[in-house]
């Protein structure tokens, strides 16, 4: 198996929008490749996607042909090799030789690839004053939406944060474990208390943590800090009936039942039947009980659910702009039209959930988006169109109209949480 062929296969899957890069890289069949080769493939693919527009800019500077007229396979070979030359530690001559050999075996552009890559080895663009869309590899639509939502200073911090490695956060499952930190530290893991969540920890050396008995037995979940915060803000009570309308992969539902000590009934819904199996897997692993599973399109009203629920969590499908550092293709492909369609979907779901909520019930609306269109503007929609009353959320000792977590903050990625009550 040729690792550079595999790199091209994976980048083509991402280009075709076959799924998020994090999932594609995790589930791809690497055959009999050893761990070192797999790690190299993952790093090269991720780095190329993360820097796509900058890489294309460099190629265009070194090529006599317009980049949009290149054969797709030739372009992917050039992108892969240019990424290796600019960002990886492999020797330039080895990268060029491998890319030229690959080009000769599957295309008729061997000499062209050789000429371009030798120019790439010589070029220096560090002194050039590049536009932000090239420098940070973000499409102009999305950059414009960020500039609409934030000050220039904050946008610059966001653009830089898209290249940060996320903190590795785990959440103790108190249905099964009360001494997680001590037990993992005794095995050599370095854990720091999470800055704003109890029973959550940032792991400094997580490399083999999924191999531990504690993980396999569901004594903790690998979970960004924002997820368990949603469950806390929902204020689930014992003997209540709860709906998690877009529940996959089920970790928030597990958090909710942990808070109620399995004494509430939670309905977990997802439109994707395959994701229901993933929810069940997490629920069973975490010893969560009193769970009902549903599989319907949340944008379609279910009349039998009207006035049924005391609590509803709407963790809505969104642009996922808060998790770009995990899935960098988002900043390449997400458009204004995508966001408009997502907002329409979010509002259809919210309209239905308002009908499902009992009088006096609480609804929490959350997204992993950074955009006002999906966050603050939907808060206004919920208040003014659905007539739910917004409730302040206490966070770090202050009362907030909503919580917006930023990807440059410790222990979290970009996330938005708001809370409402039905009078």
């Amino acid at each position: 198996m040729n690792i550079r062929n595999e790199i091209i296969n994976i980048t083509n899957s991402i280009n075709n929008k076959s799924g998020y890069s994090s999932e594609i890289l995790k589930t791809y069949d690497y055959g009999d490749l050893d761990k070192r080769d797999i790690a190299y493939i993952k790093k090269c693919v991720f780095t190329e996607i993360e820097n796509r527009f900058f890489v294309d800019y460099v190629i265009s500077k070194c090529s006599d042909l317009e980049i949009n007229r290149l054969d797709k396979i030739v372009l992917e070979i050039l992108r892969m090799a240019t990424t290796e030359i600019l960002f990886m530690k492999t020797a330039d001559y080895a990268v060029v030789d491998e890319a030229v050999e690959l080009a000769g075996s599957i295309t008729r552009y061997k000499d062209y690839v050789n000429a371009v890559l030798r120019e790439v080895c010589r070029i220096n663009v560090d002194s050039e004053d590049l536009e932000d869309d090239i420098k940070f590899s973000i499409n102009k639509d999305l950059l414009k939406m960020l500039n609409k939502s934030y000050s220039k200073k904050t946008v610059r911090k966001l653009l830089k944060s898209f290249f940060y490695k996320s903190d590795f956060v785990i959440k103790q499952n108190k249905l099964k474990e009360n001494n997680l930190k001590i037990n993992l530290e005794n095995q050599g893991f370095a854990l720091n208390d999470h800055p704003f969540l109890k029973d959550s920890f940032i792991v400094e050396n997580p490399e083999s943590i999924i191999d531990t008995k504690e993980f396999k037995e569901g004594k903790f979940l690998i979970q960004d800090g924002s997820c368990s915060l949603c469950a806390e803000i929902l204020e689930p009570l014992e003997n209540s009936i709860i709906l998690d309308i877009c529940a996959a992969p089920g970790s928030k539902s597990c958090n909710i039942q942990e808070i109620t000590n399995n004494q509430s009934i939670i309905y977990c819904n997802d439109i994707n039947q395959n994701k229901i199996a993933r929810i069940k897997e997490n629920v069973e692993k975490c010893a969560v009980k009193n769970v009902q599973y549903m599989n319907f399109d949340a944008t379609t009203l279910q009349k039998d659910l009207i006035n049924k629920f005391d609590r509803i969590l709407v963790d809505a499908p969104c642009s996922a702009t808060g998790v770009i550092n995990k899935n960098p293709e988002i900043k390449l492909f997400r458009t204004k039209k995508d966001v408009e369609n997502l907002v329409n979907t979010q509002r259809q779901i919210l309209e239905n959930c308002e009908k499902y909520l009992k009088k006096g019930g609480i609804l929490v609306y959350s997204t992993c988006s950074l955009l006002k269109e999906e966050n603050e503007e939907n808060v206004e929609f919920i208040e003014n169109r659905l007539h739910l009353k917004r409730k302040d959320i206490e966070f770090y000792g202050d009362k907030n109209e909503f919580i917006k977590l930023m990807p440059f903050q410790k222990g979290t990625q970009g996330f938005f949480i708001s809370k409402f009550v039905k009078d």
Side-chain angles (χ1 to χ4, degrees):
M1 185 178 279
N2 184 298
I3 67 170
R4 286 172 173 79
N5 267 326
E6 303 314 310
I7 290 170
I8 290 172
N9 289 337
I10 296 170
T11 54
N12 277 332
S13 293
I14 295 169
N15 293 341
N16 293 331
K17 303 180 183 178
S18 302
Y20 285 131
S21 57
S22 57
E23 288 301 316
I24 292 173
L25 288 168
K26 187 190 302 181
T27 59
Y28 188 76
D29 181 5
Y30 296 97
D32 57 359
L33 289 174
D34 64 32
K35 288 185 178 180
R36 186 173 62 178
D37 286 340
I38 293 171
Y40 190 87
I41 289 171
K42 289 181 176 180
K43 184 175 181 181
C44 190
V45 169
F46 192 89
T47 305
E48 189 265 293
I49 298 297
E50 192 176 44
N51 295 280
R52 167 69 62 83
F53 294 165
F54 178 74
V55 167
D56 283 358
Y57 173 79
V58 171
I59 293 170
S60 68
K61 295 271 287 187
C62 298
S63 171
D64 292 333
L65 300 176
E66 292 182 17
I67 199 167
N68 59 3
R69 298 181 64 184
L70 291 178
D71 176 271
K72 288 184 179 180
I73 294 296
V74 172
L75 178 56
E76 288 307 315
I77 292 172
L78 289 172
R79 283 171 169 166
M80 170 191 64
T82 301
T83 298
E84 292 180 277
I85 291 166
L86 296 177
F87 300 104
M88 311 283 277
K89 293 182 179 179
T90 311
D92 290 358
Y93 73 88
V95 172
V96 175
D97 287 350
E98 290 276 357
V100 169
E101 183 180 343
L102 180 59
S105 67
I106 59 177
T107 79
R108 55 188 178 86
Y109 293 95
K110 178 178 177 179
D111 292 339
Y112 169 74
V113 168
N114 182 55
V116 172
L117 292 180
R118 292 194 182 281
E119 285 298 317
V120 171
C121 291
R122 289 189 286 264
I123 196 170
N124 182 359
V125 295
D126 290 345
S127 61
E128 294 189 31
D129 187 16
L130 301 176
E131 295 292 331
D132 279 352
D133 59 316
I134 301 298
K135 184 176 181 179
F136 296 100
S137 290
I138 181 170
N139 78 66
K140 291 182 179 180
D141 250 15
L142 182 52
L143 183 57
K144 186 175 181 180
M145 286 186 280
L146 288 174
N147 282 322
K148 175 186 172 185
S149 296
Y150 301 100
S151 67
K152 287 183 179 180
K153 182 178 178 181
T154 301
V155 170
R156 183 52 62 100
K157 288 175 71 174
L158 286 171
L159 293 175
K160 290 179 179 178
S161 77
F162 295 157
F163 294 86
Y164 296 167
K165 185 177 180 181
S166 302
D167 289 316
F168 192 97
V169 180
I170 61 173
K171 167 71 171 65
Q172 178 175 255
N173 176 14
K174 295 189 75 174
L175 294 173
K176 281 193 164 187
E177 177 63 74
N178 287 303
N179 298 301
L180 182 69
K181 186 177 183 183
I182 293 171
N183 292 340
L184 290 179
E185 285 178 338
N186 286 339
Q187 297 174 55
F189 294 100
L191 274 64
N192 297 318
D193 291 342
H194 195 278
F196 58 81
L197 287 174
K198 58 185 179 182
D199 303 319
S200 290
F201 309 97
I202 297 172
V203 186
E204 301 296 338
N205 55 340
E207 288 74 18
S208 60
I209 202 163
I210 63 171
D211 298 323
T212 60
K213 174 175 64 73
E214 286 81 0
F215 177 72
K216 293 175 181 177
E217 293 178 357
K219 292 182 177 180
F220 69 87
L221 289 166
I222 298 169
Q223 187 178 56
D224 183 69
S226 55
C227 295
S228 50
L229 189 59
C230 275
E232 291 181 15
I233 290 169
L234 189 65
E235 294 182 273
L237 303 174
E238 293 186 5
N239 302 314
S240 56
I241 303 175
I242 300 166
L243 173 62
D244 188 351
I245 190 74
C246 303
S251 54
K252 293 185 183 70
S253 295
C254 292
N255 295 155
I256 290 166
Q257 290 300 77
E258 180 190 349
I259 291 172
T260 69
N261 199 30
N262 278 328
Q263 296 303 305
S264 63
I265 299 172
I266 188 163
Y267 287 71
C268 296
N269 175 68
D270 202 90
I271 190 173
N272 188 326
Q273 180 65 49
N274 294 329
K275 290 183 178 181
I276 299 296
R278 178 74 187 282
I279 298 171
K280 288 182 179 179
E281 180 184 326
N282 276 327
V283 162
E284 290 167 8
K285 184 178 176 181
C286 293
V288 168
K289 299 177 181 178
N290 298 325
V291 180
Q292 302 290 324
Y293 300 98
M294 296 186 292
N295 174 220
F296 63 84
D297 181 350
T299 64
T300 302
L301 181 67
Q302 309 296 306
K303 292 184 179 179
D304 57 324
L305 300 183
I306 292 175
N307 295 323
K308 185 178 180 70
F309 297 100
D310 302 292
R311 300 286 188 274
I312 299 178
L313 174 60
V314 183
D315 186 29
C318 70
S319 64
T321 43
V323 293
I324 283 175
N325 64 346
K326 279 179 60 180
N327 298 291
E329 69 280 1
I330 292 167
K331 64 183 175 139
L332 305 181
F333 303 140
R334 191 69 76 212
T335 65
K336 183 180 179 182
K337 183 63 177 175
D338 291 337
V339 174
E340 289 171 351
N341 290 336
L342 283 163
V343 169
N344 184 52
T345 296
Q346 291 155 4
R347 293 185 177 188
Q348 286 180 299
I349 293 171
L350 286 165
E351 284 181 358
N352 293 335
C353 285
E354 183 276 330
K355 295 179 175 67
Y356 303 153
L357 191 63
K358 291 179 182 178
K359 188 174 182 180
I362 290 174
L363 180 146
V364 167
Y365 171 72
S366 65
T367 74
C368 57
S369 170
L370 298 169
L371 302 176
K372 280 189 175 180
E373 291 91 333
E374 299 177 272
N375 295 333
E376 289 92 333
E377 291 179 16
N378 272 345
V379 168
E380 293 177 7
F381 171 82
I382 295 167
E383 287 188 288
N384 299 330
R385 293 283 299 277
L386 303 185
H387 306 296
L388 296 181
K389 184 179 179 182
R390 184 187 53 75
K391 291 193 70 176
D392 286 341
I393 303 171
E394 189 165 319
F395 189 57
Y396 277 116
D398 296 325
K399 289 186 176 181
N400 302 269
E401 293 184 6
F402 48 77
I403 295 175
K404 180 177 278 189
L405 302 169
M406 304 297 266
F408 46 76
Q409 289 177 283
K410 187 72 174 170
T412 187
Q413 295 181 312
F415 210 79
F416 180 90
I417 310 172
S418 52
K419 182 177 182 180
F420 305 87
V421 65
K422 187 173 184 177
D423 286 340

